[in-house]
Amino acid sequence: MNTIPNRRVFGQRLAAMAAAASLPAWAQPAGTYPQRPVELIVPFAAGGGTDVLARALAETMRRHFSQSVIVMNRAGASGAVGWQELAAAKPDGYKLAIITVEMTMIPHMGVTKITSDDVLPIARLNADPATIAVRADSPFKTVEEFLAAAKKSAGSVRIGNAGPGSLGHLAAAALEDKAGVQFSHLPYRGANPAVLDLLGGHIEAVAVTPVEVATYVAAGKIRPLAIMGDKRIQAGWEQVPTLKERGIDLVIGGWRGLAAPKHTPPEIIQQLRTVMARTLQEPELRATMAKQNMGEGYLDQPAFLEVIARDNATFKQLVNKLGIKA
């Protein structure tokens, strides 16, 4: 008696399966995501702070994600090379990227046309201030001595940064404006190459974030002179003053976040938001971030979008005021 209904139901299921199989990957039901490893683009060279965070994140995500996450470095143009790849990717959730505060800077400098509107931000992972750091054996013991040398001979003090339009570049340029000095800005393909050149004695300083020099500070090889935050930070940096403490009213910081291509299905984005909320609470990841002096600052998508809009307006005004062009 049940043969005909069963055959009908079976036939309907087969038809549904065939229809789903004929759809492109990005149109598959969100419940099937992910079915294969996911690529995570890091738009800077290996070894820098963004790379460190991405690899720790990918490792910890395994506890809340059914597939592995493969980190791919795509350095160049202060992050624009990697972000262009993300913007051009299929919106299927299988290619993600780390975005950084530079995305709100470099479009205004003419480095790229890629903006945060060309991708889909998911969550902010951390936030930290910019810092000026020198070698431990540098003659500059304080930020005042550092600025005095730059004022005495314009362009004689070379400061490395992660690339044209990077946080370090704008932070150092803003410091020039506030202190009335002139540096020689040297762009690199990421913070790590700049830090290595500092260690090699090829430049006098770097403008980066604490995580990008934390290992060398802990080893006694690099000395941070000041940070550009509202307050001092911890984890071995308690003695490093803010610029505001030294009479320079300048606060500039950065962030790192996760993004997907535009038009990625909302079900997949929601799943990734949930995974980020859980992953960023894992004690192991939090310990890694603290050890690297990487400021916490997780924000879910709505709040993250507000920060991006605010920073975009702030840095657009700063770039125009200082006349910074790539």
Side-chain angles (χ1 to χ4, degrees), residues 124-139:
R124 189 177 76 173
L125 307 176
N126 89 302
D128 40 26
T131 185
I132 300 294
V134 298
R135 278 197 353 173
D137 60 357
S138 169

Side-chain angles (χ1 to χ4, degrees), residues 174-208:
L175 179 57
E176 282 182 315
D177 181 61
K178 285 286 187 179
V181 301
Q182 183 178 336
F183 302 127
S184 179
H185 301 275
L186 298 180
Y188 290 80
R189 291 173 62 87
N192 194 52
V195 172
L196 292 178
D197 254 16
L198 172 65
L199 292 170
H202 305 296
I203 55 179
E204 282 71 48
V206 290
V208 291

Side-chain angles (χ1 to χ4, degrees), residues 125-167:
L125 307 176
N126 89 302
D128 40 26
T131 185
I132 300 294
V134 298
R135 278 197 353 173
D137 60 357
S138 169
F140 308 127
K141 307 299 183 185
T142 66
V143 69
E144 289 87 353
E145 293 176 353
F146 178 75
L147 293 174
K151 183 174 293 188
K152 183 177 180 180
S153 180
S156 63
V157 175
R158 299 164 294 181
I159 299 186
N161 59 61
S166 64
L167 173 65

